[in-house]
Amino acid sequence: QSVLTQPPSASGTPGQGVTISCSGSSSNIGSNTVNWYQQLPGTAPKVLIYSNNQRPSGVPDRFSGSKSGTSASLAISGLQSEDEADYYCSAWDDSLNGHVVFGGGTKLTVL
Amino acid sequence: QVQLQESGPGLVKPSETLSLTCAISGGSITSSYWNWIRQPPGKGLEWIGCVYYSGRTYYNPALKSRVTISADTSKNQFSLKLTSVTAADTAVYYCARFLGPYTNWFDPWGQGTLVTVSS
């Protein structure tokens, strides 16, 4: 059972938009920033969004992040087939001397 | 740019100790925190812990009693030891960097190494 809660799956058709949620608590998302990772099949994860809403260079602006209270969201607009991947959220958790927590991951299917 | 490469045995027997090393190239171990993250086959990501070059560590509370992460500044590498392994520890193990607990996005990642626990 992951500390951060994500829907196990999401889907959309090419060109559509999709949003993936990540729910936590006051000790993690409620007091720290959220990061998002994309994991393509057979590869290591790659940072997609950091510090709630910042995109590393090279990440298309179709990807955006937001945070409100103890929840965060990743929005993908203009879906493309290459967006089919697993997406994970993470945050620092201040409890128990501090540690990183991940969401369980969301498998995005582009129909 | 910084690149990371994991190395170590791909097969470990139950009850033994899993040992992995992550070599850092293109940057210094003194610049960041260095992490281990694992992913069981077909499952999600699990953070194991991290180390700063000074020796400061943070660990996943669920694994803390079995984990040691250490830094070797002379070799510009860091290591993971996980004791008393069981089949549940079978996973792809990744090493990754972050700048600090409150700047904790992982970038870059190593390519990952599969460790299987089996007799």
Side-chain angles (χ1 to χ4, degrees):
Chain A
Q1 195 79 355
S2 301
V3 173
L4 304 182
T5 301
Q6 297 180 236
S9 63
S11 63
T13 56
Q16 271 190 334
V18 67
T19 299
I20 297 171
S21 62
C22 175
S23 177
S25 67
S26 59
S27 63
N28 43 66
I29 294 178
S31 47
N32 296 300
T33 57
V34 177
N35 311 304
W36 291 90
Y37 300 90
Q38 178 192 59
Q39 186 176 32
L40 298 170
T43 68
K46 174 188 93 166
V47 62
L48 202 59
I49 297 288
Y50 66 93
S51 293
N52 300 331
N53 55 19
Q54 301 300 302
R55 276 188 313 276
S57 60
V59 173
D61 60 7
R62 303 186 295 105
F63 296 91
S64 62
S66 63
K67 187 187 101 167
S68 178
T70 58
S71 293
S73 294
L74 172 70
I76 310 172
S77 62
L79 270 177
Q80 300 181 4
S81 58
E82 56 261 39
D83 298 334
E84 188 160 292
D86 294 322
Y87 293 85
Y88 294 90
C89 58
S90 78
W92 186 257
D93 192 305
D94 290 324
S95 68
L96 300 171
N97 295 317
H99 56 287
V100 173
V101 291
F102 278 104
T106 299
K107 169 69 177 175
L108 175 63
T109 301
V110 181
L111 302 168
Chain B
Q1 70 278 23
V2 172
Q3 292 184 306
L4 305 175
Q5 179 66 58
E6 305 91 347
S7 62
L11 181 64
V12 181
K13 290 182 167 55
S15 80
E16 296 191 343
T17 297
L18 180 160
S19 296
L20 295 174
T21 297
C22 181
I24 303 164
S25 59
S28 171
I29 195 169
T30 61
S31 65
S32 307
Y33 280 78
W34 305 94
N35 296 260
W36 289 99
I37 299 155
R38 69 180 183 179
Q39 184 172 36
K43 296 189 178 180
L45 300 170
E46 180 178 36
W47 182 75
I48 300 171
C50 67
V51 63
Y52 194 56
Y53 77 97
S54 63
R56 176 72 168 100
T57 53
Y58 293 92
Y59 293 132
N60 183 328
L63 299 170
K64 184 174 183 176
S65 63
R66 298 194 293 131
V67 172
T68 302
I69 299 175
S70 58
D72 186 337
T73 55
S74 66
K75 295 182 179 178
N76 214 41
Q77 65 185 32
F78 62 106
S79 299
L80 167 70
K81 290 190 186 303
L82 181 65
T83 62
S84 305
V85 298
T86 69
D89 296 308
T90 293
V92 174
Y93 285 75
Y94 296 101
C95 56
R97 177 187 71 171
F98 69 39
L99 297 180
Y102 298 100
T103 47
N104 54 72
W105 56 94
F106 300 110
D107 182 51
W109 296 62
Q111 65 184 25
T113 187
L114 175 62
V115 178
T116 302
V117 178
S118 174
S119 55

